[in-house]
Amino acid sequence: MADDAVRAPLPGAVLFACNFNRVRSPMAEALLKRALGDRIYVDSCGLRREATETGGLVDPFVQAVMAEISCDLAAHRPKTFGDLEDDSFDLVVSLTPEAQHRAVELTRGRAAEIEYWPTFDPTLTDGSREARIAAYRQVRDTLAARIAERFGR
């Protein structure tokens, strides 16, 4: 049987969620948009805002590794669950344990799927710039592979 014959239909709307919406979830959002264009609605959010001088921006290492694959995230502004204009998602993909708990609350009483994709936080990597960039690339590539596996069109 061909893969397409057993593959589930695409959800109409997907939300990626993590802690601050500055690293993992914006990467996943951009990767899925890159893979499927506007065939489905894709968004991302975090649990809370980061209280730093760069809290309103995507992490610079994220911008760098995503630019390597022609994804421009300069316009992305982190948002929380409360900032979402619509919360009618068919699929919520949580990338952290904390976001998984919030996804369960968000979808309670709704016909929405929840998937948990535990994803390493590359901001925890110490060392040289190259070592840190390598950690971000690994997260990007892991998310890209998972997206291709889950949504592979």
Side-chain angles (χ1 to χ4, degrees), residues 15 19-21 29 41 43-49 76-85:
L15 176 69
N19 293 349
F20 294 107
N21 194 221
E29 176 187 353
Y41 177 77
D43 204 353
S44 67
C45 71
L47 295 172
R48 55 196 170 277
R49 290 195 205 298
H76 178 83
R77 294 296 175 260
K79 60 185 163 291
T80 65
F81 278 92
D83 296 330
L84 294 172
E85 292 182 23

Side-chain angles (χ1 to χ4, degrees), residues 101-112 114:
H101 292 296
R102 183 64 179 89
V104 169
E105 291 172 21
L106 175 74
T107 59
R108 187 167 284 133
R110 298 179 190 196
I114 302 171

